[in-house]
Amino acid sequence: MISILIPIYNYEVGRVAKDLLQQCQALGKEYEIILADDGSTNEDIRKKNKTLLATINVNYIEVKNNIGRSKIRNFLAKESKGDMLLFLDCDSGVVRKDFVSKYLYCSKDYDVVSGGTIYCEKEKVSPQYLLHWTSGKEREEGKKHFTTNNFLIKKEVFEKVCFDESIKGYGHEDTILGEEMREKGYRIGHIDNPVEHLGLKTNDKFISDISNASKNLALLYKQEKYKPYLENITLIKAYKKIRNIHCNKIFLFCFKVLKPFIFNNLKGKRPNIKLLDMVKLYSFITIEEKENAHYLEYNGRARQ
C-alpha cells in the first residue's frame, strides 16, 4: 500500500489531489492520500481543502497551531497505513501521467527515491517572482540531490530516520535527513520523475527566506552533532575559506557597501544568482559573528 502525504500551509491542493487520485485508481493498488493542514491562516483555502474529505481514500487533518516542517511530516508518517510513503509539498504540480507508477517501479531498487523538480517557462513568470524562478532553474532543475518536496521512502526506513524535530527555524532539515540516510547506508536513487514547483515566492519573500535559511544553517553548524552532515555544503565551504584568511569583517563591510546594487539586481529583470550567494554568505557570517561575540562576552565575564 502506498500512502501519499502532503503537508499544507495556505495553499489549495484540490488539483494535485485529483491528479494523484486518478493515477492511483488506474493502478488498482491500495492507496491513501493524507493531507495535513499545519495551522494555515487563510480560512478560504482551508475550507476549500476541507471539501476533499468527501473523497474516497482521502483523509484531511487540521493542526490548529503551526508545528513546523519537520514535525508535520513525522505526524503524517505516523498517521499513514502504507508500507511506502510518498511525500509531496502542497505547491507541487503533477506533470507525468505515470508519476505514481514510476515511483513504485523504481522502489524495487532503492530504499529512498527522489524525483526532482521542474519550473515553468520564463514567459509565464511575472517579474515579481523572477528571482525564485531563476534560482530554481539554475540550482534545482535537473540536479541530482535529495530534496523533501518530492520523494518516496519505505516506511520501515523512515521510522528509523525521520525528520529531526529539534531543528527549529526555516531550512536544511532536508539536508540533515539526506546525509543521515547516506551515513546509515540506505540506497538513495535519483530518477527523472519531477513535480512542477507552482508556489513561487515574490522577490522580497524569497530573499527573506533564503536569508533565514542561511542563518538557520549557521546555528545548526554550531552544533557538533550536525557538523558532519553539513561540511560539504557549498556555503559552509565558502565561509571556511573566508574565515581561514580572516576576512569575515572585510566581507561584511563590502556587502553593506554593495547592498543597494545587489538587491537592485536580484529584484530586476536579469537576477544574478551568484549575488544571491553573497546574501546567503552575509547572513551566515552575521550569525557566526554574533555567536562569537556572545561567546567572548560570556568568557570575559567568567574571568572577572
Side-chain angles (χ1 to χ4, degrees):
M1 180 178 183
I2 182 171
S3 298
I4 300 176
L5 311 177
I6 305 178
I8 304 169
Y9 186 74
N10 288 338
Y11 204 89
E12 191 176 346
V13 296
R15 181 69 222 178
V16 67
K18 180 181 177 182
D19 290 340
L20 292 167
L21 277 167
Q22 288 177 344
Q23 291 196 21
C24 289
Q25 289 166 356
L27 281 173
K29 180 180 173 65
E30 277 193 291
Y31 72 93
E32 64 176 353
I33 297 176
I34 308 179
L35 314 169
D37 185 280
D38 190 17
S40 289
T41 55
N42 190 314
E43 188 62 29
D44 288 337
I45 287 178
R46 284 174 59 192
K47 286 179 179 178
K48 288 177 181 177
N49 288 333
K50 199 169 185 177
T51 62
L52 293 166
L53 264 174
T55 309
I56 296 174
N57 291 341
V58 174
N59 186 13
Y60 173 80
I61 306 167
E62 286 188 352
V63 178
K64 289 186 178 181
N65 299 314
N66 184 275
I67 59 176
R69 296 157 61 89
S70 295
K71 207 166 188 177
I72 193 67
R73 286 168 172 79
N74 289 344
F75 169 78
L76 279 162
K78 289 174 184 176
E79 292 291 315
S80 67
K81 299 174 184 175
D83 57 328
M84 302 298 298
L85 309 180
L86 173 53
F87 283 91
L88 295 174
D89 279 0
C90 60
D91 58 355
S92 300
V94 177
V95 295
R96 296 182 61 115
K97 293 182 179 179
D98 61 345
F99 176 74
V100 177
S101 62
K102 187 168 185 179
Y103 259 133
L104 292 175
Y105 178 79
C106 293
S107 67
K108 300 171 186 176
D109 301 318
Y110 302 102
D111 299 307
V112 187
V113 189
S114 180
T117 309
I118 61 171
Y119 288 77
C120 67
E121 296 304 313
K122 187 175 182 179
E123 292 73 25
K124 298 179 181 179
V125 182
S126 300
Q128 65 266 35
Y129 301 102
L130 192 56
L131 177 60
H132 189 175
W133 179 88
T134 304
S135 177
K137 273 284 186 182
E138 291 189 19
R139 298 288 172 82
E140 294 179 42
E141 195 170 289
K143 301 297 188 292
K144 291 185 177 181
H145 54 253
F146 176 74
T147 57
T148 56
N149 70 309
N150 174 26
F151 76 103
L152 182 80
I153 184 170
K154 294 177 180 177
K155 188 170 185 177
E156 61 179 343
V157 173
F158 186 83
E159 289 174 338
K160 293 174 182 176
V161 287
C162 68
F163 286 92
D164 188 339
E165 295 182 10
S166 68
I167 298 177
K168 306 300 180 182
Y170 177 83
H172 293 287
E173 69 283 339
D174 54 347
T175 306
I176 300 296
L177 178 62
E179 290 302 316
E180 184 180 357
M181 289 190 296
R182 286 189 184 90
E183 182 186 67
K184 292 184 176 179
Y186 292 115
R187 299 169 299 165
I188 303 175
H190 300 277
I191 64 173
D192 180 24
N193 199 28
V195 292
E196 182 180 348
H197 192 148
L198 301 175
L200 293 177
K201 299 171 184 176
T202 63
N203 297 330
D204 285 327
K205 174 63 174 170
F206 188 65
I207 291 172
S208 174
D209 282 354
I210 284 293
S211 177
N212 288 334
S214 300
K215 291 176 182 177
N216 202 43
L217 178 61
L219 293 174
L220 292 173
Y221 191 63
K222 282 286 184 182
Q223 302 182 49
E224 289 298 324
K225 66 176 181 176
Y226 296 130
K227 275 193 175 184
Y229 301 139
L230 302 174
E231 293 288 359
N232 290 324
I233 292 179
T234 303
L235 180 56
I236 299 287
K237 291 179 178 178
Y239 160 71
K240 289 168 75 173
K241 285 181 180 179
I242 289 178
R243 181 195 63 188
N244 291 342
I245 59 175
H246 308 290
C247 285
N248 284 14
K249 287 183 169 55
I250 294 174
F251 176 84
L252 294 177
F253 173 78
C254 291
F255 182 90
K256 289 175 182 177
V257 172
L258 296 172
K259 186 175 179 180
F261 164 77
I262 292 171
F263 276 66
N264 283 338
N265 174 273
L266 293 177
K267 297 177 186 180
K269 295 180 180 179
R270 295 182 180 85
N272 186 330
I273 301 306
K274 289 184 179 180
L275 294 180
L276 187 63
D277 292 337
M278 290 183 67
V279 174
K280 294 179 184 178
L281 189 54
Y282 173 80
S283 301
F284 187 99
I285 293 176
T286 298
I287 293 297
E288 279 290 315
E289 291 292 305
K290 189 176 181 180
E291 291 292 312
N292 289 338
H294 287 164
Y295 175 79
L296 292 173
E297 182 181 359
Y298 174 82
N299 279 319
R301 288 177 179 172
R303 293 192 191 99
Q304 292 177 358

